[in-house]
Amino acid sequence: MDTCRIPENASKCSGNTMECFMVLSTQAQKISIGILCGLFGTMCVFENSLVLYLIFSSPGIRKKPSYLFIGSLALADILASIIFVCSFINFHVFNKAGFSKEVFLLQLGGVNTSFSASLSSLLLTALDRYISISRPSEYKLLMTRKRAWTALGVLWVTCATIAYLPLLGWNCCVLDSACSELFPFVDDNYLSGWLCFTVLLLGCIVYAYAHVLWRARQHVAYMEKHQAQVGKQNTRMRMDVMLAKTLVMVLAVLTLCWSPVLVLMIYSVFARLSDHVRKVFAFCSTLCLLNSMVNPIIYALRSKELSSSLRRVFSHFRRQLKASEESPEAESTHKFSVIET
């Protein structure tokens, strides 16, 4: 097994680097983490898979760039859920550390790629709505499908490149530098860089949504002063109000789920962590999974088009279920009449 410089407060590890980070000491803690990961992960995969199905099963919806960004968000959240839950439970609950440094960094890179792509997809969604409300007349010219796919390609390549830098050599074993106290083999300088990248993404998301909220509020105020003009304008005003409510939910959930993890990561760069703090970090990490579970509810199911598509799917499913239940009765009735004849 690869060994490198371990956290100074982890003297009990006896040089076994991986075991230094297995901070869940009681069975109750392991069961709690397992239940949270299993529940959030299952719901996340189901909800986001449903969103992807609704988007790509409807030709009218999948042609719109805004839904391509939501589809990217759903795909990133599915991958994040699967990779995070499997690796997290395997490491913290079952305490399996019999794999190499490369395998661990490969798993960590997959988790970081997925969560970074999820945040980046949120940013593209924010920019898409920013353009739609600030320059509505030019929106279709500015936001084309080709540009949307190009943006998504750059997004995923950038996130994967940054996430797999430790596997490519930027780790504390190769550089013989100080390791992070939260992640095995991860260099403190790399963690600082990744934190800067993530905080920058969150800052851009907050700025874009704050601007959209401001423009929506301006639009509502304008409409209230021109009550004589009704119809489409009142409809647009209601859409802006709904958009504003959705964005408030987005910012609240995003802040709630990501702040604890980021604060503890930043704290770990400048100070030594106790085992208790690292246990808290392990539980707070599941909040990122919760964010991926809530994303489809906020972004997709509050969309009028996706909600209509979802109702059609459920209606079709109920009709099929009803037909399958009635079919055996009809068949038995037919057989009974034949016997009587």
Side-chain angles (χ1 to χ4, degrees), residues 1 5 11 40 45 73 79 82 108 112 125 130 135 138 142 162 194 205 220 222 251 253 285-286 309:
M1 178 179 293
R5 194 182 307 175
S11 57
F40 292 164
V45 171
L73 174 64
L79 294 177
I82 294 174
L108 184 63
N112 287 343
T125 305
Y130 173 85
R135 306 174 70 175
E138 304 174 38
L142 294 174
I162 294 175
W194 186 85
I205 292 171
V220 170
Y222 175 82
L251 295 179
V253 172
S285 299
T286 61
S309 180

Side-chain angles (χ1 to χ4, degrees), residues 286-329:
T286 61
L287 291 177
C288 299
L289 198 60
L290 176 63
N291 183 225
S292 297
M293 185 185 76
V294 175
N295 278 339
I297 299 175
I298 297 177
Y299 279 89
L301 300 185
R302 284 179 64 87
S303 165
K304 186 177 179 180
E305 292 174 301
L306 285 181
S307 297
S308 300
S309 180
L310 181 62
R311 285 193 294 270
R312 286 196 298 269
V313 169
F314 281 158
S315 178
H316 179 69
F317 177 75
R318 283 197 300 267
R319 286 196 300 269
Q320 284 189 330
L321 186 62
K322 187 177 180 180
S324 63
E325 289 177 351
E326 292 177 351
S327 180
E329 296 179 2

Side-chain angles (χ1 to χ4, degrees), residues 208-228:
Y209 279 161
H211 188 83
V212 171
L213 284 171
W214 176 65
R215 292 301 296 265
R217 186 175 180 180
Q218 278 189 327
H219 191 72
V220 170
Y222 175 82
M223 289 301 175
E224 289 176 348
K225 291 180 181 180
H226 299 78
Q227 288 295 329

Side-chain angles (χ1 to χ4, degrees), residues 10 13 21 35 37 69 82 88 108 111 144 191-192 245 291 338:
C13 297
F21 299 87
I35 292 174
C37 288
F69 299 145
I82 294 174
F88 200 76
L108 184 63
V111 173
T144 61
L191 182 60
S192 300
K245 291 180 179 179
N291 183 225
V338 170

